């Protein structure tokens, strides 16, 4: 038996380059995490004319309790729920 159907909302936001797009996506994803229906860990960025090629914004590994690592994709060191400054 299949689970309930899910739908994904695509919210276009324009940025001048990939680095800016990733930083903006991280801010928007963290803000949206206040909403129970969001999964910021699945946030990706793509070029407008090549939307099939997506760049992950966050690490995709799951931690204890099925929670996601909140660090950037490709980070050094161990996964964490908090950004180290």
């Amino acid at each position: 038996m299949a689970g309930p159907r899910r739908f994904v909302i695509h919210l276009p936001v324009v940025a001048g380059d990939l680095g800016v797009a990733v930083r903006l996506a991280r801010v928007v994803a963290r803000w949206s995490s206040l909403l129970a229906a969001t999964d910021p860990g699945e946030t990706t960025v793509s070029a407008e004319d090549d939307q099939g090629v997506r760049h992950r914004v966050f690490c995709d590994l799951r931690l204890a309790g099925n929670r996601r690592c909140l660090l950037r994709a490709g980070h050094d060191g161990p996964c964490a729920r908090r950004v180290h400054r």
Side-chain angles (χ1 to χ4, degrees), residues 1-2 6 12 18 23 30 33 41 49 75-77 80 82-83:
M1 178 180 202
R6 293 174 21 140
L18 181 58
R23 287 190 297 279
R30 284 196 178 124
S33 69
D49 59 350
H75 67 85
D76 293 328
R82 297 190 152 205
V83 177

Side-chain angles (χ1 to χ4, degrees), residues 7 9-10 13 17 25 27 33 41 48 61 64 66 75 83:
F7 295 88
I9 296 170
H10 303 275
V13 178
D17 62 54
V27 169
S33 69
E48 183 176 24
L61 296 178
N66 206 30
H75 67 85
V83 177

Side-chain angles (χ1 to χ4, degrees), residues 2-74:
R5 289 180 67 189
R6 293 174 21 140
F7 295 88
V8 177
I9 296 170
H10 303 275
L11 176 64
V13 178
V14 178
D17 62 54
L18 181 58
V20 171
V22 167
R23 287 190 297 279
L24 182 56
R26 289 174 64 80
V27 169
V28 171
R30 284 196 178 124
W31 172 83
S32 72
S33 69
L34 299 173
L35 305 170
T38 64
D39 186 359
E42 289 295 328
T43 303
T44 58
V45 171
S46 67
E48 183 176 24
D49 59 350
D50 195 6
Q51 294 183 29
V53 177
R54 296 179 177 223
H55 304 271
R56 279 199 163 279
V57 173
F58 295 103
C59 174
D60 63 349
L61 296 178
R62 296 234 181 221
L63 303 173
N66 206 30
R67 298 176 77 185
R68 289 186 185 274
C69 173
L70 292 180
L71 302 180
R72 73 183 182 287

